[in-house]
Amino acid sequence: MFDNAIGFSLNKIRKNADDFHDAFLSDESHDYMYNRNTECISWTEGFWPGMLWLAYELTGEDKLKNTAHGLDKILCERVYKKRGVDTHDLGFLYTLSCVAEYKLTGNETAKAAALEAAELLIKRFHEKGQFIQAWGSLEDKDNYRLIIDCFMNLPLLFWASEVTGDRKYADIAKKHFYTASECVIREDFTTYHTFYFDPETGEKVKGVTSQGFSDDSCWARGQAWGIYGTALAYKYIGDKKIIDMFNGITERFMSQLPEDGIPYWDMVFKEGDEPRDTSSASIAVCGMLEMNRHIKNEKNVERCIKIMEALENGYLTDECSNGILKEAMYSRPDGSESECNIWGDYFYVEALVRFNDPDWNMYW
Ligand code: GLY
């Protein structure tokens, strides 16, 4: 299934393995071209090695493996030098790089670096409020909040408990999951992007957007993180209440899609010429396919096929671009244009891998 899209993506990845063997790809493209990112201080650097590991699994080509390994070494150095680690996105960064490498090759250096990242991540847990702080210094009262994206950072902690036998990581992941799900999932199963707590008392304060249209709208990628995040939480926690969360968020996402199944960047938009966000579509597909491994749902699989067909038929880049998926939106309020972004490409390739091998041993 989707052989053409796999071939198309592999060609782009092989070409980028030449051009970006010693650097990451920028968060988003400009004129559909990614630039070299040699700084490695963003939340996104895990996606390029993650994509290389996926491509290595599809092809067995050593060049892809060696390129991913070289980039993971840069991420290893980053965590020990504590460069750009004032963030909960240690999960995104180290799950798709070092955890993937450890799972595929048994590399102990990668395992140790990912455990170091897990150690830093649990330090971001606030007893007052019972959550992992998303961004910035832990002393900064204006940053006393969580964000829905953090669901995707929790698998690093579940993995760390699995490989060390120490429950402390998984315990914090669970506490954060339940706090976050109470705050960010609204009664109608739309979601808040971020949620503030009172730093003195830990009381819940309010939901606020950062990348969505407005505080009370439903940012498409946040909703997609909610779909995939609850599917992953169900895998690791196994609480049946999480099934209702997953179903509610998924139904709400599906009910707000335009005709071709690719969401606008915020789900407040139902028609018109606002930009889409193809990255949200790919993330939602991965989440539905993950949940389908635990609870069979043919309707969701059909929905995933329809979305993947729409992406392939309408949203792949042309030959000149070094990206894969067009019309992905990073942050409209910050002035992003509709372009490729590196996680949109990663999740598209992950979705292709999931269709190619439903038993794929995921990195999350
Ligand atoms: N985690 C940041 C984003 O989804 O843009």
Side-chain angles (χ1 to χ4, degrees):
M1 208 171 213
F2 302 118
D3 286 347
N4 287 340
I6 290 177
F8 174 88
S9 304
L10 284 175
N11 284 342
K12 297 275 186 183
I13 294 168
R14 286 191 184 104
K15 171 84 178 43
N16 282 342
D18 288 330
D19 298 343
F20 297 87
H21 65 277
D22 56 350
F24 299 87
L25 283 72
S26 49
D27 300 338
E28 54 188 336
S29 65
H30 292 288
D31 295 329
Y32 287 114
M33 289 302 284
Y34 288 110
N35 296 315
R36 284 166 63 80
N37 157 10
T38 49
E39 277 189 325
C40 192
I41 50 167
S42 176
W43 68 279
T44 59
E45 282 87 359
F47 295 114
W48 172 223
M51 224 185 308
L52 286 159
W53 288 119
L54 294 172
Y56 167 63
E57 288 205 72
L58 285 167
T59 63
E61 289 170 19
D62 278 343
K63 182 180 158 185
L64 300 172
K65 176 171 90 169
N66 295 335
T67 308
H69 172 68
L71 294 161
D72 286 356
K73 278 189 6 199
I74 301 174
L75 281 157
C76 290
E77 189 190 295
R78 172 174 171 174
V79 77
Y80 292 119
K81 294 214 165 141
K82 297 201 170 35
R83 218 175 46 230
V85 293
D86 250 1
T87 170
H88 66 153
D89 285 324
L90 293 158
F92 278 112
L93 285 163
Y94 287 89
T95 302
L96 301 179
S97 56
C98 294
V99 174
E101 175 158 0
Y102 174 65
K103 286 186 177 175
L104 292 172
T105 71
N107 183 307
E108 289 289 334
T109 309
K111 174 186 173 188
L115 285 174
E116 182 69 16
E119 209 58 52
L120 292 178
L121 184 52
I122 57 172
K123 291 207 171 72
R124 299 187 67 77
F125 182 74
H126 288 296
E127 286 295 335
K128 270 190 200 163
Q130 300 280 294
F131 71 97
I132 294 171
Q133 182 179 314
W135 297 315
S137 154
L138 298 176
E139 316 310 321
D140 181 359
K141 306 279 182 231
D142 293 339
N143 263 324
Y144 211 74
R145 65 172 156 178
L146 59 78
I147 72 172
I148 192 168
D149 321 30
C150 191
F151 284 155
M152 302 301 291
N153 291 318
L154 305 181
L156 177 69
L157 301 181
F158 290 115
W159 168 83
S161 278
E162 265 170 29
V163 295
T164 60
D166 186 338
R167 296 295 313 159
K168 69 179 177 182
Y169 309 98
D171 286 347
I172 285 180
K174 265 197 217 175
K175 285 181 189 168
H176 176 89
F177 175 77
Y178 284 112
T179 305
S181 57
E182 272 174 28
C183 300
V184 297
I185 307 173
R186 303 186 186 111
E187 250 175 47
D188 65 358
F189 289 106
T190 61
T191 50
Y192 286 115
H193 182 190
T194 88
F195 204 95
Y196 277 102
F197 296 78
D198 182 325
E200 307 307 329
T201 63
E203 294 289 304
K204 298 181 180 74
V205 177
K206 60 179 175 183
V208 169
T209 199
S210 172
Q211 286 164 241
F213 177 74
S214 65
D215 291 345
D216 58 0
S217 72
C218 182
W219 178 49
R221 197 155 59 255
Q223 194 76 5
W225 294 139
I227 294 172
Y228 203 173
T230 49
L232 292 168
Y234 182 68
K235 173 193 156 58
Y236 286 110
I237 302 173
D239 176 354
K240 297 230 177 323
K241 285 202 292 287
I242 302 173
I243 303 172
D244 293 338
M245 298 179 199
F246 168 85
N247 285 338
I249 298 172
T250 302
E251 289 310 314
R252 178 54 70 170
F253 181 87
M254 294 306 304
S255 72
Q256 291 178 235
L257 295 179
E259 184 57 29
D260 73 355
I262 308 304
Y264 289 100
W265 66 277
D266 192 296
M267 304 198 107
V268 78
F269 304 110
K270 310 277 188 305
E271 56 185 6
D273 53 12
E274 282 292 327
R276 306 297 182 102
D277 179 25
T278 52
S279 77
S280 301
S282 301
I283 295 162
V285 167
C286 292
M288 285 189 268
L289 293 179
E290 176 56 29
M291 196 60 160
N292 187 57
R293 304 214 277 200
H294 310 291
I295 298 171
K296 289 279 164 241
N297 185 329
E298 266 316 304
K299 184 169 150 201
N300 279 349
V301 176
E302 290 303 318
R303 288 165 157 175
C304 290
I305 292 171
K306 188 171 166 243
I307 292 172
M308 293 299 281
E309 285 172 350
L311 290 174
E312 181 171 349
N313 295 331
Y315 295 91
L316 293 183
T317 54
D318 62 29
E319 287 305 314
C320 307
S321 169
N322 60 10
I324 296 175
L325 211 50
K326 294 191 293 192
E327 298 194 38
M329 174 52 64
Y330 188 171
S331 180
R332 195 69 175 152
D334 294 310
S336 294
E337 295 297 333
S338 179
E339 280 278 346
C340 303
N341 59 43
I342 190 63
W343 58 93
D345 287 357
Y346 169 83
F347 285 103
Y348 181 62
V349 179
E350 185 186 306
L352 293 171
V353 165
R354 284 179 173 277
F355 271 110
N356 189 59
D357 176 9
D359 297 324
W360 175 63
N361 185 19
M362 65 173 179
Y363 311 149
W364 302 101

